[in-house]
């Protein structure tokens, strides 16, 4: 989709070429307006605000082009890499070597079909002033990137992936609707830290070469605007902190700063740690905002730079689009306040609302996150239940987070192989120590424990037993009318799920599969899908759709590109990838714009 009336408009293919760096200098010298060179009054060629993954990538690209960069963050050095460090390391690739190894037939066309059916872009795609105009263009470019250059680029930096590709977010049941038609979730060998590592190395090497300077504990409070262009930042120097990674750090101010540069790149993340902001932006289509939530991101993910950039003229679009999880556990050993861990479930656990009513399709584990979130809020309660078995959790439960997957994070093949004959240790620890687990030999004991845990006696034994027995009768034949049982058999047709993610079909009330387990599931805040609207160079746009001179944005603060590359929903594995792609794009564009 090309629109010549938009300043700097380019085609999707040309944008990808620019992002790839083939003709970056020449193309951007013409398209990025105005271009700047460092002046005597400048402290650097560029300032990057936020040292998470997108910020590291942008800084690395700027330094690779010979630019001098100040990399600012309000957190101490221990938190370098931001949220990405804590991630499972999942990346979305299309037609990868790992997919082909597992017998998966994927294509750019199929991925684009899935992306469109999932995103549901409906806010002025063809209107240069529409909220989805640039988001759609970013989505096209990103799917091309995932199908073409992305894997080779990252492999060239030393990344490797677990050979069994995960099948996340399986969707709502129609070919052209929401969800992944095939497995595309590639877990990085080494999880989140291994995604951060190559870019941290690049930036630290640039520090040694005096191209990048870290400014930790520098909280930006204002973007300096001179003659309509962003020319620097002002803010507060915070008290030095020895807080460990992810732990809250002091907000005591010990000084002020003002720094100047012809380019500022904002890469500061979303709003997930601020529940008040989450509720303020909560859309009516997801029901009433939950009164109780747990937090999937560290406390510094506070959304401050969104409002600060808006005050400098940046346009925020799609603020009501967000991605929160329904399978949250309260962490028995929290790192940050309200720390929650997500279960990444296989397809077999039965899912009930707080009153013990079984959810219907597509509210099946691993299928449609936001539809299930709406079903939970419609129930009038802020939690739901898995009823499952030891056999299921041993094979199907995984926990989000690098720290919850020591085998993958430590690249320990023996620990990884131990999953074949035993329940992973982190799962067992949560089962034993986590407050959300109820374990029992019999269903009456299980129901008593569920009601004791919540203190509201909402679960009726007879009603729960009737629903479980009805489901159990459906497994006597290799065919069924129960959609969830169909989904289990469909999963078992994929070798990856058979090997690592789906238990063999069995009755929930089979004593041999026990003990029985109920898991209370909390709503877990996570990602901001909207944000600062950017063009295909990562330039922040104002309300008129014009790029603000000197101002770029990347990562979650920009909706992972364009102010909302995902639209309404995510296919998963696309958040880290969005940071990588948008950070690289903005970094290269800013480098070209500051060419002397």
């Amino acid at each position: 989709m090309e629109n010549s009336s938009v300043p700097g408009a380019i085609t999707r293919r040309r944008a990808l070429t620019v992002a790839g760096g083939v003709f970056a200098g020449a193309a951007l010298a013409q398209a990025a307006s105005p271009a700047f060179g460092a002046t005597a009054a400048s402290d650097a060629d560029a300032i990057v605000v936020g040292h998470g993954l997108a910020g590291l990538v942008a800084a690395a690209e700027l330094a690779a082009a010979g630019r001098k960069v100040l990399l600012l963050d309000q957190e101490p050095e221990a938190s370098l890499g931001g949220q990405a460090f804590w991630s499972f390391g999942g990346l979305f690739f299309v037609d990868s070597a790992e997919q082909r190894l597992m017998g998966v037939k994927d294509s750019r066309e199929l991925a684009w079909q899935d992306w469109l059916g999932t995103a549901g872009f409906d806010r002025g795609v063809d209107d240069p002033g529409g909220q989805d105009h640039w988001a759609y263009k970013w989505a096209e470019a990103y799917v091309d990137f995932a199908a073409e250059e992305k894997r080779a680029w990252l492999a060239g930096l030393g990344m490797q992936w677990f050979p069994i590709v995960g099948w996340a977010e399986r969707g709502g049941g129609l070919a052209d609707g929401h969800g992944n038609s095939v497995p595309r979730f590639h877990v990085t060998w080494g999880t989140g830290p291994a995604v951060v590592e190559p870019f941290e190395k690049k930036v630290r090497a640039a520090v040694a070469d005096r191209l990048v300077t870290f400014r930790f504990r520098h909280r930006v409070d204002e973007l300096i605007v001179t003659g309509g262009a962003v020319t620097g930042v002002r803010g507060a120097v915070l008290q030095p902190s020895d807080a460990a990674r992810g732990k809250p750090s002091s907000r005591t101010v010990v000084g002020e700063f003002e720094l100047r540069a012809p380019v500022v790149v904002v890469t500061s993340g979303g709003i997930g740690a601020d529940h008040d902001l989450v509720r303020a932006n909560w859309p009516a289509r997801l029901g009433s905002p939950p009164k109780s939530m747990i937090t999937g991101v560290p406390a510094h993910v506070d959304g401050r730079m969104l409002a600060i950039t808006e005050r400098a003229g940046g346009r925020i679009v799609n603020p009501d689009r967000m991605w929160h999880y329904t399978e949250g556990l309260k962490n028995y050993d929290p790192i940050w306040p309200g720390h929650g861990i997500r279960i990444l479930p296989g397809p077999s656990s039965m899912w009930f609302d707080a009153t013990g009513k079984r959810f219907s399709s597509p509210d099946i584990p691993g299928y449609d996150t936001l539809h299930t979130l709406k079903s939970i809020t419609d129930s009038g309660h802020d939690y739901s239940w898995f009823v499952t078995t030891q056999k299921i959790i041993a094979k199907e439960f995984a926990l989000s987070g690098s720290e919850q997957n020591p085998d993958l994070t430590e690249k320990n093949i023996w620990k990884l192989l131990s999953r074949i004959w035993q329940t992973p240790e982190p799962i067992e620890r949560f089962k034993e120590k986590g407050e959300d687990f109820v374990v029992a030999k019999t269903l009456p004991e299980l129901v008593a424990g569920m009601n004791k845990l919540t203190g509201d006696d909402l679960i009726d034994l007879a009603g729960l037993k009737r629903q479980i027995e009805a489901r159990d009768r459906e497994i006597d034949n290799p065919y069924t009318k129960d959609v969830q049982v169909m989904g289990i058999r469909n999963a078992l047709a994929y070798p990856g799920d058979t090997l690592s993610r789906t238990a063999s079909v069995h009755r929930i009330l089979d004593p041999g599969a026990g003990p029985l387990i109920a898991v209370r599931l909390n709503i877990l805040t996570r990602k901001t899908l909207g944000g600062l609207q950017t063009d295909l160079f990562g330039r922040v746009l104002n309300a008129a759709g014009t790029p603000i001179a000197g101002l770029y944005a990347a990562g979650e603060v920009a909706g992972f590109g364009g102010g909302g590359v995902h639209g309404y929903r995510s296919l998963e594995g696309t958040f880290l990838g969005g940071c990588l792609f948008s950070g690289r794009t903005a970094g290269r564009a800013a480098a070209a714009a500051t060419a002397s």
Side-chain angles (χ1 to χ4, degrees):
M1 296 182 61
E2 185 173 359
N3 193 310
S4 59
S5 67
V6 181
I10 57 175
T11 65
R12 169 175 53 83
R13 288 290 179 182
R14 186 178 166 207
L16 188 65
T17 300
V18 170
V22 179
F23 299 118
L28 285 168
Q30 296 176 6
S33 175
F36 297 94
T39 67
S42 295
D43 297 290
D45 298 313
I47 294 169
V48 177
V49 182
H51 67 201
L53 181 60
L56 288 174
V57 175
E61 292 293 339
L62 281 156
R67 307 295 179 268
K68 291 189 175 181
V69 183
L70 297 175
L71 182 53
L72 280 59
D73 201 284
Q74 64 184 351
E75 294 305 300
E77 185 172 3
S79 287
L80 191 68
Q83 294 179 65
F85 181 91
W86 299 105
S87 74
F88 198 31
L91 292 170
F92 177 96
F93 296 134
V94 178
D95 191 27
S96 68
E98 291 77 16
Q99 286 176 301
R100 294 191 292 272
L101 177 67
M102 299 307 300
V104 175
K105 297 179 181 179
D106 199 6
S107 66
R108 190 265 174 200
E109 292 72 25
L110 183 60
W112 183 235
Q113 171 182 300
D114 288 347
W115 197 288
L116 285 181
T118 297
F121 295 119
D122 61 1
R123 295 175 174 174
V125 169
D126 297 317
D127 175 5
Q131 293 187 76
D132 280 339
H133 182 72
W134 290 103
Y136 183 98
K137 291 177 180 290
W138 269 91
E140 284 188 294
Y142 182 72
V143 172
D144 281 350
F145 176 63
E148 297 171 7
E149 184 187 359
K150 180 181 178 183
R151 187 187 180 284
W153 173 54
L154 296 175
L157 296 174
M159 286 191 206
Q160 296 177 301
W161 297 275
F162 187 56
I164 298 176
V165 184
W167 195 353
E169 204 64 15
R170 304 182 190 205
L174 295 177
D176 60 353
H178 168 54
N180 285 293
S181 297
V182 296
R184 296 192 178 103
F185 191 82
H186 297 67
V187 177
T188 304
W189 188 233
T191 67
V195 177
V196 172
E197 181 182 14
F199 301 100
E200 180 180 345
K201 284 183 176 179
K202 282 177 175 287
V203 170
R204 289 194 182 278
V207 170
D209 291 338
R210 300 181 184 276
L211 287 171
V212 174
T213 302
F214 287 124
R215 294 290 179 93
F216 303 113
R217 306 297 284 155
H218 279 56
R219 185 188 70 199
V220 173
D221 297 324
E222 180 187 357
L223 296 179
I224 301 171
V225 180
T226 306
V230 170
T231 56
V233 296
R234 294 190 184 98
V237 179
L238 302 180
Q239 182 182 58
S241 172
D242 59 0
R245 181 184 292 275
K247 291 282 189 181
S249 60
S250 165
R251 289 294 179 263
T252 301
V253 174
V254 296
E256 298 177 346
F257 69 90
E258 179 175 312
L259 297 167
R260 299 277 178 163
V263 159
V264 174
V265 185
V266 178
T267 62
S268 54
I271 67 173
D274 189 327
H275 291 191
D276 290 336
L277 271 179
V278 169
R279 293 187 184 96
N281 289 284
W282 192 272
R285 66 180 177 276
L286 293 181
S288 299
K291 294 179 181 178
S292 175
M293 295 182 285
I294 56 178
T295 309
V297 294
H300 60 76
V301 186
D302 54 19
R304 291 182 69 257
M305 284 304 300
L306 281 162
I308 290 168
T309 309
E310 187 177 35
R311 287 197 293 272
R315 184 190 185 195
I316 295 175
V317 294
N318 303 310
D320 62 326
R321 293 181 183 169
M322 50 188 70
W323 190 254
H324 305 305
Y325 290 114
T326 52
E327 312 99 332
L329 302 174
K330 296 178 182 178
N331 196 341
Y332 65 88
D333 186 19
I335 297 171
W336 52 79
H339 188 177
I341 297 293
R342 184 202 174 197
I343 298 172
L344 286 73
S348 301
S349 297
M350 294 186 72
W351 206 337
F352 299 88
D353 71 13
T355 69
K357 179 183 177 183
R358 187 184 180 191
F359 289 125
S360 60
S361 178
D363 302 331
I364 299 169
Y367 275 70
D368 192 332
T369 294
L370 292 193
H371 191 283
T372 308
L373 177 57
K374 174 64 160 54
S375 296
I376 293 169
T377 57
D378 283 350
S379 75
H381 300 274
D382 297 338
Y383 67 93
S384 59
W385 291 100
F386 276 167
V387 174
T388 189
T389 66
Q390 182 68 34
K391 182 175 181 178
I392 290 171
I393 74 163
K395 187 73 173 284
E396 297 193 4
F397 276 26
L399 299 175
S400 64
S402 54
E403 82 282 12
Q404 300 299 331
N405 295 275
D407 49 357
L408 291 163
T409 301
E410 298 168 10
K411 303 181 182 180
N412 188 317
I413 191 69
W414 296 112
K415 282 186 180 180
L416 182 64
L417 289 174
S418 72
R419 295 190 184 211
I420 296 172
W421 63 82
Q422 66 181 16
T423 306
E425 184 180 349
I427 299 291
E428 281 296 314
R429 285 202 301 267
F430 263 90
K431 192 182 81 173
E432 294 169 6
K433 299 180 180 181
E435 66 178 85
D436 296 307
F437 280 77
V438 179
V439 182
K441 292 182 179 179
T442 68
L443 190 60
E445 293 172 334
L446 189 77
V447 170
M450 294 165 73
N451 285 329
K452 180 179 179 181
L453 177 61
T454 59
D456 50 21
D457 293 328
L458 291 176
I459 307 297
D460 174 66
L461 172 59
L464 195 69
K465 183 173 186 246
R466 176 187 57 77
Q467 294 173 90
I468 295 174
E469 288 179 338
R471 177 267 185 204
D472 281 358
R473 294 187 189 101
E474 296 291 313
I475 69 168
D476 288 341
N477 296 291
Y479 43 84
T480 177
K481 72 175 183 180
D482 189 284
V483 173
Q484 183 174 9
V485 177
M486 290 183 200
I488 296 168
R489 296 194 188 280
N490 187 45
L492 290 170
Y494 167 51
D497 277 350
T498 301
L499 287 169
S500 68
R501 291 290 286 147
T502 305
S504 59
V505 182
H506 63 277
R507 294 173 181 264
I508 296 293
L509 296 180
D510 178 359
L516 289 168
I517 300 168
V519 189
R520 180 179 59 185
L521 305 172
N522 306 275
I523 294 172
L524 176 74
T525 64
R526 187 62 66 87
K527 295 299 180 186
T528 308
L529 298 188
L532 297 169
Q533 191 172 41
T534 58
D535 67 9
L536 284 173
F537 295 118
R539 298 180 296 181
V540 176
L541 306 179
N542 63 20
T546 303
I548 298 173
L551 183 59
Y552 296 75
E556 191 173 353
V557 75
F560 302 94
V565 69
H566 296 94
Y568 286 94
R569 298 173 180 169
S570 167
L571 287 171
E572 291 287 13
T574 55
F575 299 125
L576 291 175
C579 290
L580 293 167
F581 184 54
S582 62
R584 190 178 80 155
T585 299
R588 291 182 178 184
T594 51
S596 56

